[in-house]
């Protein structure tokens, strides 16, 4: 009995003890780091909603049970988990999150840790753009880095966005940055064909791991002669050790015009069109209100766009792989425009033994584009034509043999006038027929291949051999229907062409890294690089087609008039470079580089040049005197750099005397084409940068600042010579121009909240920039700026002391309220009015507007600078939030300080028998109804005098300031508990919108729809609403 009692008593005691251990109790403690206690640390009982925060002295108190796991989290620190034991006191020391400073940055021919970088480099994660709907990755880089401006000025798929890194660094030569993919310089820009093609669209955005943008001298000097416009280094994804990981992503969206041109509907059109005529004393020409045709809706559509990506990655101790398949199908918002891309990528790394590894990065892409005529002044140019179409006529006509509303006989080649008394102005065609029947097609087969071997010679010395090739073969086809439109005058037109680029690159890279006496760290890089590029082009064309059946390809004897031609060019570059880096205790940094480049584009005596670069950095926060405030100022680094770089995009052999084939009748021959200059040299840039990086509150708040100045010298300009010399174009190339870019960059990132359930990161950047031309040929203005486009050049000027491509024209005063005539300023400030309907001018007195003034003139000498076309500031604000399994993000982008000549707005004030913009409703009608004071009296066919159609005027010059909601996204990730059950690593669904909101006083479609500061008949940019899915197994 006693024995049984003892066992029962023991069991009760044990159960009581077990019960007591399972009871909640108060756990207290303090949280600190190496510098002291941390207030505001979140303390959470894992798997529950029980949480608290440390107070001002780092102490906390929380209810927990034995066996519970406490999670300690704080922005800028690594999370820590502690299991509750028998003690009621738990003190924790958190360690600083070193992610930012240990982030690897690609610097050209190697990598560095962020904390070692002494140049100005911006890093963008590929994941930031991977889900966005875009034909090419660079279009969505806008706003994501300081000093980097990306402008998409057209809604046409295939038109490449413009990328500017710290301004424009040339007048007559290339201004695009160098693009390097996995160490391989690649082709960019249009790469041939009949439809617009973008060389960067051949890279699947989903394959990109990161972008590193080299901006200042120290960062770009390593690329020497190719770095004047900055460098973008793209790193593609690679495999990591571990089991097979399968990732699938898909996005489906619908694109539409973000905004359409605000044109007249039929009731207002009839009033305006006929007022033009009656003011001229003629009979009305607009008759009939049966139709109210929306031509823009017929040409611009809702366009489905989809993307599918599937990847496989993983690896063992010796082999790592990343394989991907991609498919993109995007219809453009304009009829006849679209793109399909098929991509395959294989990135493989293999360790052969302890000292040797080999690998390859292979990308094979086929990209197909369909396009259209987008000429800003062509009769079948998509927007030029569409905004002129009369709303009171239909698009289709069942009684017409074509089924479209087209004037008979078909040889007239204009859209049908229907009930109107006169044919449409400017002899425009039926744009819908042209878009339905004409064809523009480009097929790009692109291979990017690099193979490499890494040899570890010693523990400190390594050698890398990389051989790469970029081969682009583009087949183009263009067909103009013989019945109506562009091809009517030639009874149809066909052209097939083939464009091939082949660029190979060979690099030998030697790297040495060594630490001496524990604190002295050095690195030496030596490179020998060789590159050659070959361009080859061929075309065959024909007109007077025997039947519109032959609309797929050139077919022998299917056309009468035949022609063919082609061209071929080659150029090469040889480079030798060295880079030395040193740091002491990762506190004081010094870097220097020298690159010697030789290029075949220049003469033997001038083709070799040295490009040096030097930079220094000081991590002030590591000094002993900074330790008392290290808990507040966790990182503080100063940087400075200087370099000299060049520009290789100077054309092919501008130094040589060149001839060209010059047939005369049936006889072949050659003709003088270019007068050479054997003393021609590189365009060169001297870059200076001073920067500072700050991290506050354990890098919870980071701030970056840079001041830069880029002095560009030896710009190649065409210098006029006497026509009596017989030199082609009466010019010769000389190194004579100068300009500079100067600016300030600011970047701020703040981890506002970071706990187990809720994370919120906010970031912003701002760039202030200035561009000034300082030296031109004999100080003379260059009318037309850098443009060769006849729709743009007359409105621009290059002038010493002014920004590049400044707007140039007449100052507009307004409308004479007494008679509706337009009034302009002369150079001396006096006023003259244009006497409608003619082109004569008379003196205008605003105090006595009805008085007939003396005869006057308005001449070129009265033109003046109307504004700079380059933005003075630009940047963005972005936010990323995640609450449990829900994520939400957005980015606003802004820009301003520039002026735009809205030539499209002037086009919409056309006084011919065409449609107009609604602004024309504010026209002057009488002394008692003077309108808006800005729009003159209407007078048919008086564009030259009413709108001064040959010159820019302040009447149509506007501010380019804007704020744009570039993207906003909302996503949901399935809970981990459910993912574990279905054996899926990640499952996220999302919805997003791009380019859906614009805040601007600009009266056009979008202030970014400009080319060199002129907005002329552009296709509206698209907005995209999309849904998507990301799955990882």
């Amino acid at each position: 009995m006693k024995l049984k009692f003892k066992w029962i008593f023991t069991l009760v005691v044990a159960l009581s003890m077990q019960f007591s251990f399972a009871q909640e109790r108060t756990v207290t403690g303090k949280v600190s780091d190496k510098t002291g206690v941390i207030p505001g640390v979140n303390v959470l009982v894992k798997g529950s909603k029980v949480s608290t925060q440390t107070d001002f002295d780092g102490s906390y108190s929380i209810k927990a049970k034995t066996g519970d796991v406490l999670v300690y989290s704080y922005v800028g620190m690594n999370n820590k988990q502690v299991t509750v034991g028998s003690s009621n006191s738990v003190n924790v020391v958190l360690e600083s999150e070193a992610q930012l400073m240990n982030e690897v940055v690609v610097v050209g021919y190697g990598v560095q840790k962020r904390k070692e970088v002494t140049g100005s480099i911006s890093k963008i994660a590929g994941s930031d753009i991977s889900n966005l709907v875009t034909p090419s990755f660079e279009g969505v880089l806008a706003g994501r880095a300081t000093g980097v401006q990306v402008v998409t000025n057209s809604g046409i798929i295939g038109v490449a966005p413009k990328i500017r890194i710290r301004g424009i660094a040339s007048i007559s030569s290339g201004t695009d940055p160098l693009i390097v993919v996995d160490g391989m310089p690649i082709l960019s820009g249009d790469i041939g064909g009949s439809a617009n093609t973008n060389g960067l669209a051949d890279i699947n955005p989903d394959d990109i791991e990161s972008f590193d943008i080299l901006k200042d001298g120290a960062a770009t000097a390593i690329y020497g002669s190719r770095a004047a416009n900055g460098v973008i280094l793209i790193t593609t994804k690679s495999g990591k050790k571990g089991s097979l990981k399968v990732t699938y992503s898909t996005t489906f969206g619908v694109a539409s015009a973000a905004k359409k041109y605000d044109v007249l509907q039929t009731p207002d059109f009839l009033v305006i069109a006929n007022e033009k005529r009656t003011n001229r004393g003629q009979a009305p020409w607009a008759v009939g209100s049966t139709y109210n045709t929306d031509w823009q809706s017929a040409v611009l559509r809702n366009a489905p766009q989809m993307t599918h990506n599937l990847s496989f990655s993983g690896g063992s101790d010796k082999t790592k792989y990343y394989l991907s398949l991609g498919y993109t199908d995007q219809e453009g918002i304009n009829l006849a425009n679209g793109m399909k891309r098929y991509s395959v990528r294989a990135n493989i790394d293999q360790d052969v033994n302890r000292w040797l590894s080999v690998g390859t990065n292979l990308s094979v892409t086929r990209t197909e584009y369909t396009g259209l005529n987008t000429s800003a002044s062509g009769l079948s140019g998509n927007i030029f034509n569409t905004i002129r179409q009369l709303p009171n006529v239909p698009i289709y006509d069942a009684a017409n043999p074509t089924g479209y509303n087209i004037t008979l006989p078909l040889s007239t080649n204009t859209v049908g006038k229907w009930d109107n008394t006169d044919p449409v102005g400017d002899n425009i065609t039926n744009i819908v027929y042209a878009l339905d029947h004409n064809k523009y097609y480009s097929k790009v087969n692109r291979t990017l291949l690099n193979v490499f071997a890494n040899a570890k010679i010693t523990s400190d010395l390594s050698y890398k051999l990389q051989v790469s090739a970029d081969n682009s073969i583009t087949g183009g086809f263009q067909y103009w229907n013989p019945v109506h439109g562009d091809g009517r005058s030639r009874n149809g037109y066909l052209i097939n062409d083939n464009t091939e680029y082949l660029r190979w690159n060979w690099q030998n890279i030697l790297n040495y890294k060594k630490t001496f006496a524990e604190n002295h760290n050095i690195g030496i890089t030596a490179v020998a690089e060789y590159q050659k590029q070959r361009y080859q082009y061929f075309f065959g064309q024909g007109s007077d087609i025997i039947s519109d059946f032959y609309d797929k390809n050139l077919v022998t004897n299917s056309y009468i008039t035949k022609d063919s031609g082609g061209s071929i060019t080659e150029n090469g570059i040889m480079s030798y470079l060295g880079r030395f880096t040193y740091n002491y205790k990762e506190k004081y940094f010094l870097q220097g580089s020298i690159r010697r480049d030789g290029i075949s584009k220049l003469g033997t005596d001038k083709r070799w040049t040295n490009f040096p670069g030097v930079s220094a950095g000081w991590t002030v926060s590591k000094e002993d005197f900074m330790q008392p405030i290290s808990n507040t100022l966790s990182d503080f680094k100063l940087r400075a750099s200087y370099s000299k770089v060049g520009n290789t995009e100077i054309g092919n052999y501008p130094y040589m005397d060149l001839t060209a084939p010059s047939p005369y009748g049936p006889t072949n021959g050659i003709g003088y084409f270019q007068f050479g200059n054997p003393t021609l040299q590189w365009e060169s840039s001297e870059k200076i940068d001073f920067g500072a990086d700050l991290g506050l509150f354990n890098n919870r708040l980071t701030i970056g600042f840079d001041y830069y100045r880029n002095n560009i010298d030896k710009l190649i300009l065409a210098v006029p010579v006497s026509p009596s010399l017989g030199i082609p174009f009466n010019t010769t190339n000389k190194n004579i121009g100068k300009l500079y870019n100067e600016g300030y960059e600011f970047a701020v990132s703040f981890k506002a909240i970071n706990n187990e359930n809720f994370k919120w990161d906010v970031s912003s950047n701002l760039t202030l920039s200035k561009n000034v031309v300082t030296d031109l040929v004999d100080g003379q203005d260059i009318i037309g700026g850098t443009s060769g486009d006849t729709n743009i050049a007359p409105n621009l000027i290059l002038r010493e002391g002014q920004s590049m491509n400044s707007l140039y024209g007449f100052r507009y005063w307004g409308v004479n309220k007494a008679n509706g005539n337009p009034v302009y300023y002369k150079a001396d400030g006096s006023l003259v009015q244009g006497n409608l309907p003619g082109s004569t001018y008379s003196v205008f007195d605003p105090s006595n507007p009805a008085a007939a003034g003396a005869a006057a003139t308005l001449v070129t000498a009265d033109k003046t600078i109307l504004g700079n076309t380059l933005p003075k500031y630009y940047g963005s604000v972005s936010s990323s939030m995640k609450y449990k399994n829900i994520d939400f993000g957005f980015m606003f982008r802004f820009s301003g300080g520039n002026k735009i000549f809205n030539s499209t707005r002037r086009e919409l004030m056309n006084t011919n028998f065409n449609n107009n913009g609604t602004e024309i409703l504010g026209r002057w009608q009488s002394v008692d109804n003077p309108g808006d004071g800005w729009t003159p009296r209407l007078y048919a066919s008086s564009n030259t005098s009413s709108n001064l159609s040959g010159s820019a005027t302040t009447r149509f010059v506007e501010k380019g300031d804007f704020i744009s909601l570039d993207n906003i996204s909302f996503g949901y990730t399935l809970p981990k508990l459910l993912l574990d059950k279905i054996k899926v690593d990640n499952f996220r669904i999302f919805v997003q919108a791009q380019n859906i909101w614009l805040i601007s006083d600009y009266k056009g479609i979008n202030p970014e729809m400009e080319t060199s500061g002129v907005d002329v008949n552009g296709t509206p940019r698209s907005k995209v609403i999309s849904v998507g899915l990301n799955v990882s197994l």
Side-chain angles (χ1 to χ4, degrees), residues 131-133 251 968-970 990-994 1024-1027:
N131 289 320
L132 297 176
V133 179
T251 306
I968 183 170
S969 65
F970 180 84
F990 61 90
V991 59
Q992 63 187 2
Q994 298 166 235
V1024 185
I1025 309 295
S1026 60
V1027 296

Side-chain angles (χ1 to χ4, degrees), residues 789-845:
D789 188 326
T790 56
N791 297 299
I792 296 172
N795 311 300
L796 303 178
I797 190 172
L798 292 176
R799 175 175 289 176
E800 291 183 0
Q802 298 292 330
S803 175
M804 186 183 299
N805 287 333
S806 293
L807 294 177
Y808 182 63
F810 297 104
R811 290 188 297 148
Y812 185 63
W813 181 86
V815 172
N816 181 345
K817 293 184 179 181
N819 56 24
N821 288 338
V823 180
Y824 301 92
Y825 289 94
K826 288 184 66 66
D828 61 4
S830 62
L831 298 171
V832 296
Q833 62 178 317
N835 299 311
L836 296 178
S839 56
T840 63
Y841 292 88
S842 60
V843 174
F844 173 70
D845 181 1

Side-chain angles (χ1 to χ4, degrees), residues 387-563:
I387 62 177
R388 282 171 164 74
Q389 292 287 353
L390 309 184
N392 70 332
V393 303
I395 298 171
Y396 304 100
D397 179 5
N400 192 289
T402 65
Y404 292 77
N405 179 24
I406 296 174
T407 303
L408 296 176
L410 293 175
S411 58
T412 308
N413 202 31
T414 60
V415 64
K417 66 180 182 179
W418 212 249
D419 295 329
N420 297 307
T421 63
D422 287 51
V424 66
D426 297 329
N427 297 316
I428 57 175
T429 60
N430 186 317
I431 185 62
V432 177
Y433 182 95
L435 292 172
D436 286 346
H437 292 81
N438 290 346
K439 296 181 181 180
Y440 293 74
Y441 176 74
S442 298
K443 177 181 65 180
V444 182
N445 292 314
R446 183 86 173 267
T447 302
L448 299 174
L449 170 66
N450 76 47
V451 294
F452 54 87
N454 286 295
K456 192 173 183 180
I457 301 171
T458 70
S459 60
D460 307 313
L461 181 64
S462 64
Y463 166 73
K464 180 179 181 179
L465 168 67
Q466 176 171 295
V467 180
S468 59
D470 180 358
N471 185 212
S472 169
I473 303 174
T474 304
F477 173 69
Q478 181 177 327
Y479 163 77
W480 284 351
N481 182 272
V483 176
H484 180 72
D486 300 292
R488 177 65 196 179
S489 62
R490 290 195 259 184
N491 193 32
Y493 171 76
L494 288 163
I495 180 171
N496 275 101
D497 62 48
N498 183 271
T499 305
E500 180 175 7
Y501 287 92
L502 175 61
R503 174 186 289 180
W504 62 259
N505 180 279
W506 181 299
Q507 298 175 15
N508 299 282
I509 306 171
L510 200 62
N511 271 305
Y512 177 77
K513 296 188 73 174
K514 182 72 174 178
T515 299
F516 296 96
E518 297 185 358
N519 297 319
H520 300 273
N521 306 291
I522 68 167
I524 300 174
T525 300
V527 180
E529 181 177 9
Y530 312 97
Q531 179 175 297
K532 189 171 183 179
Q533 178 175 304
R534 178 187 178 97
Y535 162 84
Q536 193 165 355
Y537 172 73
F538 172 81
F539 76 90
Q541 68 179 31
S543 58
D544 198 2
I545 304 169
I546 61 174
S547 169
D548 59 3
F549 173 79
Y550 297 98
D551 64 349
K552 302 290 190 300
N553 198 79
L554 283 174
V555 176
T556 304
N557 295 325
S558 65
Y559 47 94
I560 306 302
T561 305
K562 306 173 184 179
D563 195 10

